[in-house]
Amino acid sequence: MAPLEPTDLTIEILKNIRDEVRQTRTDLSGRIDTMRDELSRRIVESEIRTSTAVTELAGAVSQMTGVLRASHDLRPRVERCELDIAELKKRVGQ
């Protein structure tokens, strides 16, 4: 059996395959770039949400620390007042 001779039709088919492979590569590159941009955008949005939540949490913790500190600072005074009230009750006979 003699080797096949390239024909114009075979060459055209191979050229079409080559062109389609190039187009597919270009299309995939575009899709990958679009996905990369979308992923980057989503990551930035997520980081902003996380940062905002952490900032709000830090503010809440700071406020609670202030409340607890004030409560702690008032505790000796409240105890003195309670002792004074108990002593006054004893004096008036309750």
Side-chain angles (χ1 to χ4, degrees), residues 55-67:
T55 301
E56 290 173 356
L57 179 59
V61 167
S62 178
Q63 288 176 349
M64 287 304 300
T65 300
V67 168

Side-chain angles (χ1 to χ4, degrees), residues 1 3-4 9-10 17 19 21 27 29 31-32 42 44-46 51 62 64-67 75-76 78-80 89 91:
M1 186 180 231
L4 296 175
L9 179 60
T10 303
I17 291 171
D19 293 343
V21 167
D27 291 348
S29 292
R31 285 178 153 177
I32 289 170
R42 287 183 180 190
V44 168
E45 288 173 353
S46 176
S51 176
S62 178
M64 287 304 300
T65 300
V67 168
R75 189 71 199 149
V78 170
E79 288 174 357
R80 279 194 313 272
K89 283 182 178 182
R91 286 185 192 175

Side-chain angles (χ1 to χ4, degrees), residues 3-19:
L4 296 175
E5 293 292 322
T7 63
D8 290 340
L9 179 60
T10 303
I11 292 173
E12 281 303 309
I13 290 171
L14 290 174
K15 285 180 181 179
N16 287 340
I17 291 171
R18 180 197 62 202
D19 293 343

Side-chain angles (χ1 to χ4, degrees), residues 47-93:
E47 288 175 348
I48 289 170
R49 284 192 304 272
T50 301
S51 176
T52 300
V54 167
T55 301
E56 290 173 356
L57 179 59
V61 167
S62 178
Q63 288 176 349
M64 287 304 300
T65 300
V67 168
L68 291 173
R69 187 169 288 129
S71 174
H72 178 71
D73 292 345
L74 288 176
R75 189 71 199 149
R77 184 174 175 192
V78 170
E79 288 174 357
R80 279 194 313 272
C81 289
E82 289 174 346
L83 290 172
D84 290 346
I85 291 169
E87 188 162 324
L88 288 170
K89 283 182 178 182
K90 285 180 189 176
R91 286 185 192 175
V92 292

